[in-house]
Amino acid sequence: MNLIENIYLKIFGNTALPGVLTYIAIAVVFYIIFHSTGKLIGKKSNIIAEKLFRNQNDNIKNAISKSLSIPVKMFIQISGLLVAFLIVPFDAAFAAVVDAFAVKVYRIAIIALVGMLAVNLVDSIQYFSKKFENNENKTLLIFFIKIGKVLVIFLTGAIILKEVGFDVTGLLASLGLGGVVLALAAQDTASNLFSGIVILFDKPFAVGDWISVGGMEGVVEEMSFRSCRIRTFDNALISVPNSKLGSDSVTNWTKMNVRKTRITIGLVYSTKKTTLQKVCDEIKSNLMKYDSIKKDNIMVWFDNFNASSLDVVVQYHTYLTGAADFFALKEEIQYMIMDVVESNGTDFAFDTKTIIIEQD
């Protein structure tokens, strides 16, 4: 008996080769059917979501569809692979080993797929309530979704380890013994984590808000367990530790109800008192005509005798807090001030000095 025959007999026993080939062909056909079915159902997961959640909005249906697509497809395909292995006519002794191994791998794969499905469903929670549509609640929800996903992954990993024979209880106990070392090594991480939780509950800002903190200014793009990412107006991305955000004063410009503007103009010293008063009155009168300016906070006054000018301060508050609208209004008002100064026959002062030389 040669080596090939010996291997054949150990794998397939006394089953004749035509019979083995027939069973293998049937197994391949079954696998192809399961594989194709899984692929088709994975693509049609949107129809399943439509049937199960017909009364929900499109965001929920799309989220459920994406959650189901890969796990369902892989479940059917892996099941087909197991069926194919069970169909092949292995020798009884060899079959016991192969079947036990195949079933063990199948169980681990199913646990992993259930974990994947759970992670996807946790990620879809944000679409199930209108309460989470505003930035503040959505930021808090996303934070806890990340925690939920980590817990699901940890639990799935623990179940898989137990399935392959690891003593999970002993592993957790060993982690407990090293807890002091881990705690010392992770002080900054813990500080950032708890600061992040405080920020999310206190809600000083949310994703999409324009903030300034510690000399940095920009729009919040993302919040994580460790840090907050801020996109500056120079398009740079800054990662700020949550502990720094928790300890520093944060200015949230997005929360402004009104935005203050203070403009100082200098008129030439040749400007008469009556002209100066008239310029102030006309600027204030014109500001009162703007619907976007808060009427009870408009102030225009002669402020100071400067070295080379008579300084007039124009101060108002506008409801336009967005940068583009705010600066457009400011530009328009400055043009108006130029027209008022020109129409009253005076002019803006230059930074000049007059030198008087006395003759002996």
Side-chain angles (χ1 to χ4, degrees):
M1 182 181 296
N2 59 35
L3 179 63
I4 295 177
E5 289 178 344
N6 189 32
I7 293 173
Y8 179 87
L9 288 173
K10 285 186 176 181
I11 296 176
F12 300 108
N14 295 320
T15 306
L17 181 60
V20 171
L21 293 177
T22 301
Y23 278 103
I24 291 175
I26 294 171
V28 170
V29 169
F30 265 90
Y31 175 71
I32 291 173
I33 292 172
F34 274 81
H35 184 83
S36 302
T37 303
K39 195 172 181 180
L40 178 63
I41 292 177
K43 287 183 178 179
K44 300 296 182 181
S45 58
N46 58 325
I47 297 176
I48 299 173
E50 181 72 35
K51 296 291 185 183
L52 294 175
F53 300 93
R54 63 182 67 184
N55 297 324
Q56 302 296 333
N57 60 50
D58 291 337
N59 287 334
I60 293 176
K61 292 174 185 175
N62 291 335
I64 296 297
S65 174
K66 290 179 181 178
S67 299
L68 292 174
S69 179
I70 294 178
V72 169
K73 179 184 76 173
M74 293 186 68
F75 169 73
I76 296 173
Q77 292 176 346
I78 292 171
S79 298
L81 192 61
L82 178 65
V83 170
F85 266 102
L86 295 177
I87 289 174
V88 176
F90 295 115
D91 181 68
F94 190 78
V97 176
V98 172
D99 291 351
F101 178 76
V103 170
K104 177 69 72 174
V105 171
Y106 179 75
R107 285 169 61 90
I108 293 171
I110 296 304
I111 293 168
L113 289 176
V114 171
M116 181 190 297
L117 178 61
V119 168
N120 291 343
L121 291 175
V122 169
D123 201 32
S124 303
I125 292 174
Q126 57 188 300
Y127 301 107
F128 280 82
S129 176
K130 293 183 178 179
K131 294 180 181 179
F132 305 120
E133 289 180 355
N134 66 73
N135 284 339
E136 292 180 354
N137 290 338
K138 192 169 184 180
T139 302
L140 184 63
L141 177 68
I142 289 173
F143 188 83
F144 282 107
I145 282 175
K146 289 180 179 179
I147 293 177
K149 288 164 71 173
V150 169
L151 291 175
V152 169
I153 292 170
F154 178 80
L155 182 61
T156 303
I159 295 172
I160 290 174
L161 287 175
K162 187 175 181 180
E163 187 67 28
V164 297
F166 278 95
D167 183 5
V168 179
T169 306
L171 178 63
L172 293 175
S174 66
L175 289 176
L177 292 174
V180 176
V181 177
L182 290 174
L184 291 173
Q187 281 183 353
D188 289 341
T189 301
S191 175
N192 289 325
L193 174 61
F194 286 112
S195 295
I197 293 173
V198 170
I199 289 170
L200 288 170
F201 276 106
D202 194 38
K203 299 180 181 178
F205 58 85
V207 172
D209 284 358
W210 164 26
I211 68 169
S212 59
V213 56
M216 296 167 287
E217 185 173 355
V219 177
V220 179
E221 280 199 354
E222 183 184 352
M223 285 194 67
S224 66
F225 297 110
R226 194 193 72 82
S227 63
C228 172
R229 289 182 181 144
I230 300 174
R231 178 75 63 179
T232 69
F233 296 115
D234 294 328
N235 206 36
L237 188 63
I238 302 175
S239 184
V240 185
N242 289 336
S243 57
K244 181 175 178 61
L245 292 172
S247 60
D248 285 1
S249 296
V250 178
T251 303
N252 190 333
W253 299 106
T254 302
K255 298 294 184 182
M256 291 185 295
N257 294 321
V258 291
R259 191 169 178 179
K260 178 182 174 181
T261 303
R262 183 186 177 100
I263 303 170
T264 301
I265 60 173
L267 302 180
V268 294
Y269 260 93
S270 59
T271 305
K272 303 295 184 183
K273 174 185 173 183
T274 53
T275 303
L276 187 59
Q277 290 175 331
K278 191 175 180 183
V279 167
C280 292
D281 291 342
E282 285 188 17
I283 291 174
K284 185 172 183 179
S285 176
N286 288 334
L287 288 174
M288 295 290 290
K289 297 176 184 178
Y290 287 86
D291 293 332
S292 56
I293 292 178
K294 194 174 181 182
K295 302 297 187 291
D296 56 351
N297 288 98
I298 297 173
M299 298 176 68
V300 183
W301 72 94
F302 170 41
D303 184 60
N304 189 32
F305 292 97
N306 211 331
S308 57
S309 64
L310 301 173
D311 288 349
V312 173
V313 175
V314 179
Q315 183 173 296
Y316 61 88
H317 291 77
T318 175
Y319 299 110
L320 304 177
T321 56
D325 293 334
F326 172 78
F327 288 117
L329 176 65
K330 184 177 180 181
E331 180 184 44
E332 184 179 342
I333 288 172
Q334 290 180 151
Y335 285 143
M336 178 270 289
I337 292 172
M338 291 178 67
D339 291 338
V340 171
V341 170
E342 183 180 353
S343 65
N344 280 280
T346 185
D347 205 350
F348 297 100
F350 297 100
D351 187 10
T352 59
K353 291 183 179 179
T354 302
I355 299 176
I356 300 175
I357 301 175
E358 295 184 357
Q359 300 289 337
D360 291 336

